[in-house]
Amino acid sequence: MPQPAARMELVRPSAIRELLALAADPGIISFGGGYPDPALFPTADLGEAFRRAIEEQGASALQYAPSEGIDRLRDQVAGLMRADGVACGAENILMVQGAQQAIDLVGKMWLEPGDVVLTETPSFLGGIVGLNPYEPVYRSVRTDEHGIDPAHLEVVLRENPRAKLLYTVPDFHNPTGYTLSLERRARVVELAREHDIVILEDTPYRELFFTAQKLPTLKSFDTDGRVYHVGSFSKTLAPGLRTGWMVADPDTVERLALLKLATDTQNSTLNMSAISLYLEHADYGAHLERNREHYRAKRDHTAAALAAELPEEVGYSVPAGGLFLWLTFPEHVNTDRLLREHLIPRAGVAFVPGSSFYSENPEFNRGRLGFPTLPSDRISEGIHRIARGYADARHLL
Ligand SMILES: Cc1ncc(COP(=O)(O)O)c(C=O)c1O
């Protein structure tokens, strides 16, 4: 047998899979998941949209379609982006199979082995996994509750002449829940221009905001087409639709569409047609508002339980949107061990150990708490178990 390509060295299952498999036992309350709550899937409206797509559009909804996506949906998505402050038209939109595919396509378009990718600290694991096959070197940029730190970004850019791409999740980050502040947004795009790198702006949680308004996208500060904005219907409609989009200049959309043609030809015509009909006939705005209320209530419940139960030495972020809270234990605590030896087997509770989310230099005292699918009584009981389990294990750590 010949050897598989060297890039396969970087394609490995993550350690958290194995740990979270331990938490699959129904007796364990798991905050490990990041799936949206299926109770929110708009099944009746989507059912109607799929029925119409097949019965009323028939052949066209079942036929091959352009790699960029069907025109009507590209136009509707461009409308959503304009309402979000991004000047664009249908020609700027590439439909993709979820944000995950956008990560792959951008990596394929831009990265030579050894190019430097800058990430937040910590970063979305799927982003790292998605870019790994292109064999980049990662440099993580200091990040706090206001997002990536531009002063440190500047230092890292100076130190790394091969820096080519910044991968960032500016809204309600996975795993931290942090949001990049307004001033930093402008500065990050300015630095990208000064140091001639491109930005991959990944925003699957953007519509799940709990405050009065969202901050402008990085794309809205882009003057020369270096920001690739990525949106997704996974967390707002349903991830099984595998439908997201990229916003880029028309030339780039065409080039990315050629890569997409080579990869998977196109998104499902039927799914795109049904989503287009859904956007036309259902009330997407009201649906988004229901999602926000639902997750806001869960966030509030989780934060209140943490405030009541956790000792002061354990910190946590209260996100302004999205699905995750970020726990910070005292420096000496290793959450991989805490979970494996104490919380999962003894206390019957799990979350994701933070160390899995770093592109370099992992921190071991952090953890991601996902609240989207748990009912409030399980959230209360789960936080109680974390607090009790940690108290029992503290002298052993
Ligand atoms: C930050 C981030 N990017 C991308 C994705 C993948 O989303 P999609 O289902 O749109 O591919 C996720 C999913 O959890 C995510 O958290």
Side-chain angles (χ1 to χ4, degrees), residues 34-36 96-103 124-127 167-169 171-175 202-205 230-235 238-240 242-244 323-324 368:
Y35 288 5
V96 288
Q97 301 235 36
Q100 192 64 38
Q101 185 175 42
I103 295 167
F124 170 54
L125 183 61
Y167 170 68
T168 175
V169 181
D171 303 302
F172 327 127
H173 188 269
N174 179 4
D202 184 13
T203 69
Y205 305 100
V230 179
S232 175
F233 288 117
S234 284
K235 304 300 191 297
R242 303 311 305 133
T243 306
L323 309 179
F324 306 110
R368 187 189 79 179

Side-chain angles (χ1 to χ4, degrees), residues 283-305:
D283 190 343
Y284 185 47
H287 173 69
L288 288 175
E289 196 44 50
R290 264 195 308 279
N291 276 253
R292 291 176 197 125
E293 273 165 29
H294 184 83
Y295 291 127
R296 187 192 292 118
K298 283 187 196 273
R299 178 213 53 183
D300 289 347
H301 194 85
T302 310

Side-chain angles (χ1 to χ4, degrees), residues 49-63 70 72 269-278 280-281:
F50 273 94
R51 186 197 63 74
R52 274 178 191 250
I54 291 183
E55 288 179 10
E56 294 173 16
Q57 299 185 338
S60 70
L62 295 167
Q63 188 53 282
I70 59 172
R72 177 78 187 115
T269 317
L270 180 58
N271 289 2
M272 290 192 286
S273 304
I275 292 173
S276 173
L277 286 162
Y278 170 90
E280 198 169 318
H281 297 284

Side-chain angles (χ1 to χ4, degrees), residues 81-371:
M81 290 309 311
R82 282 195 300 275
D84 198 3
V86 176
C88 69
E91 67 283 6
N92 297 101
I93 307 295
L94 174 72
M95 299 308 302
V96 288
Q97 301 235 36
Q100 192 64 38
Q101 185 175 42
I103 295 167
D104 176 61
L105 293 177
V106 168
K108 205 177 261 180
M109 175 159 169
W110 284 101
L111 297 178
E112 312 276 5
D115 279 346
V116 173
V117 171
L118 310 175
T119 65
E120 281 133 346
T121 313
S123 179
F124 170 54
L125 183 61
I128 300 168
V129 167
L131 296 174
N132 272 348
Y134 304 107
E135 303 173 71
V137 172
Y138 296 99
R139 290 287 171 263
S140 61
V141 182
R142 203 157 49 217
T143 306
D144 59 25
E145 67 274 27
H146 305 295
I148 209 157
D149 175 355
H152 191 235
L153 175 60
E154 192 167 8
V155 172
V156 178
L157 282 166
R158 284 224 186 88
E159 286 172 356
N160 291 280
R162 283 198 69 182
K164 199 179 252 180
L165 172 70
L166 167 66
Y167 170 68
T168 175
V169 181
D171 303 302
F172 327 127
H173 188 269
N174 179 4
T176 61
Y178 298 158
T179 292
L180 185 64
S181 71
L182 182 59
E183 312 77 67
R184 288 187 179 188
R185 285 174 192 243
R187 183 67 185 136
V188 165
V189 178
E190 196 173 78
L191 283 169
R193 212 176 295 127
E194 278 171 31
H195 292 264
D196 200 20
I197 61 164
V198 293
I199 298 179
L200 177 51
E201 177 185 33
D202 184 13
T203 69
Y205 305 100
R206 181 163 173 78
E207 293 304 326
L208 304 179
F209 52 89
F210 307 146
T211 48
Q213 60 188 47
K214 336 173 240 197
L215 293 174
T217 59
L218 293 177
K219 184 71 189 163
S220 66
F221 293 97
D222 184 20
T223 51
D224 56 2
R226 66 180 62 250
V227 179
Y228 294 74
H229 177 91
V230 179
S232 175
F233 288 117
S234 284
K235 304 300 191 297
T236 56
L237 289 180
L241 294 166
R242 303 311 305 133
T243 306
W245 62 91
M246 289 181 67
V247 188
D249 61 80
D251 278 357
T252 308
V253 166
E254 266 179 42
R255 293 168 81 191
L256 288 166
L258 290 174
L259 285 178
K260 184 169 164 65
L261 177 68
T263 303
D264 63 357
T265 316
Q266 55 160 106
N267 273 27
S268 149
T269 317
L270 180 58
N271 289 2
M272 290 192 286
S273 304
I275 292 173
S276 173
L277 286 162
Y278 170 90
L279 293 173
E280 198 169 318
H281 297 284
D283 190 343
Y284 185 47
H287 173 69
L288 288 175
E289 196 44 50
R290 264 195 308 279
N291 276 253
R292 291 176 197 125
E293 273 165 29
H294 184 83
Y295 291 127
R296 187 192 292 118
K298 283 187 196 273
R299 178 213 53 183
D300 289 347
H301 194 85
T302 310
L306 288 167
E309 298 265 3
L310 280 188
E312 210 141 276
E313 71 203 50
V314 184
Y316 56 91
S317 63
V318 179
L323 309 179
F324 306 110
L325 277 132
W326 189 234
L327 297 173
T328 304
F329 288 84
E331 294 251 338
H332 70 277
V333 175
N334 178 319
T335 52
D336 294 61
R337 216 184 121 207
L338 176 67
L339 282 154
R340 193 180 301 277
E341 294 175 12
H342 302 281
L343 296 186
I344 296 176
R346 292 168 205 268
V349 65
F351 52 82
V352 187
S355 62
S356 22
F357 295 104
Y358 293 75
S359 59
E360 56 169 0
N361 308 326
E363 295 174 298
F364 288 94
N365 60 328
R366 315 277 188 149
R368 187 189 79 179
L369 211 60
F371 51 78

